[in-house]
Amino acid sequence: MSDSLEGRTALVTGGSRGIGAAVCRALAEAGAAVAVNCRERIGQAEQLADEISKRGGRAIAVAADVSRREAVATVIDRVTTGLGPVDILVNNAGIAITRGIDDLTEDDFDRTILINLKSAFLCTQAVLPAMRARKWGRIVNISSGAARGAGAIGPHYNASKAGMEGLTRGYAARLVKEGITVNAVAPSLIETDMMSGQPQLVSRIPLGRFGTAEEVAKAVMLLVDNAYMTGQTIALSGGMAFN
């Protein structure tokens, strides 16, 4: 284990699998104590926390729906008590309901905005007091190429991710003098459960393959390690261009 983040505590929402799990492992490898949040897959979250602990790190699993304010408050209390105040927040929780514009319902839209965007707002607001008190914080939002391109999931998903990048810039501008950076990582077509069964999409990627969750985690770590970079979005697209 490295010690570059020794003494820091990280909260990763939607951290039990895929990109979230890769980010949890990378943060733990760098020495941070890690809270693995999930909504339903508590078994997977506990397994990951146990894996990190066996490698000499500190980790806990925290099940909660972070799109609800009361649940977020409970998460922050549990993480603070179990590991310490949150220094690093990675807003990764999200859903992807694939819909055509004729099939898209109001409920689909509301759920997507609630889980993908409002959760990031609630978690950010909840961690800010402790970050401000210590004049140090790193917030990384997991966006998507769909924030700027057409994407394959639907306009509701585009809107949620574009909103997340707006949130990123808005917080970054207002927190920059307090030692807190806010950035985003926008992956496209990463090899996760979301992409399973869609090998035809590889043909859209100039590099010729899906990205990996570990590659996304490396981009997150770059932002966590950089005190000067804020308000930015790093795109991981394998060479795909967005107009």
Side-chain angles (χ1 to χ4, degrees), residues 10-228:
L11 167 61
V12 181
T13 68
S16 63
R17 60 192 177 125
I19 290 170
V23 170
C24 287
R25 290 187 181 98
L27 287 163
E29 195 65 34
V34 181
V36 185
N37 162 256
C38 64
R39 191 159 50 110
E40 296 164 345
R41 298 169 185 267
I42 187 62
Q44 279 184 297
E46 286 174 342
Q47 193 174 358
L48 178 56
D50 188 50
E51 174 195 317
I52 290 169
S53 298
K54 284 177 177 171
R55 291 185 180 181
R58 294 173 63 217
I60 60 172
V62 188
D65 178 354
V66 289
S67 68
R68 293 175 48 243
R69 185 175 57 82
E70 301 83 0
V72 169
T74 301
V75 168
I76 300 304
D77 285 345
R78 283 192 57 194
V79 176
T80 303
T81 301
L83 299 175
V86 176
D87 300 289
I88 301 161
L89 169 65
V90 180
N91 284 309
N92 174 67
I95 56 168
I97 308 167
T98 302
R99 293 283 189 270
I101 55 174
D102 297 319
D103 304 318
L104 183 60
T105 67
E106 183 179 0
D107 182 61
D108 294 331
F109 188 91
D110 287 347
R111 281 185 63 215
T112 300
I113 296 296
L114 187 70
I115 295 171
N116 293 9
L117 182 56
K118 187 178 179 182
S119 67
F121 160 71
L122 291 173
C123 289
T124 298
Q125 290 288 99
V127 300
L128 283 181
M131 287 182 178
R132 283 173 142 163
R134 291 189 306 289
K135 298 198 177 303
W136 197 97
R138 299 287 182 267
I139 299 170
V140 182
N141 297 320
I142 305 300
S143 180
S144 165
R148 293 168 303 285
I153 295 165
H156 53 308
Y157 187 78
N158 296 80
S160 70
K161 293 302 187 178
M164 186 179 245
E165 292 189 14
L167 208 65
T168 299
R169 291 186 292 272
Y171 277 117
R174 291 163 175 82
L175 295 170
V176 67
K177 293 182 179 178
E178 299 186 64
I180 301 166
T181 67
V182 190
N183 292 286
V185 174
S188 298
L189 301 181
I190 304 299
E191 198 165 1
T192 61
D193 291 351
M194 196 186 291
M195 287 295 111
S196 62
Q198 301 193 72
Q200 75 282 359
L201 293 176
V202 172
S203 64
R204 295 171 48 188
I205 308 170
L207 188 59
R209 67 167 175 83
F210 288 130
T212 68
E214 289 70 28
E215 287 167 329
V216 180
K218 284 179 182 178
V220 171
M221 296 306 291
L222 172 76
L223 295 170
V224 170
D225 193 45
N226 196 317
Y228 200 69

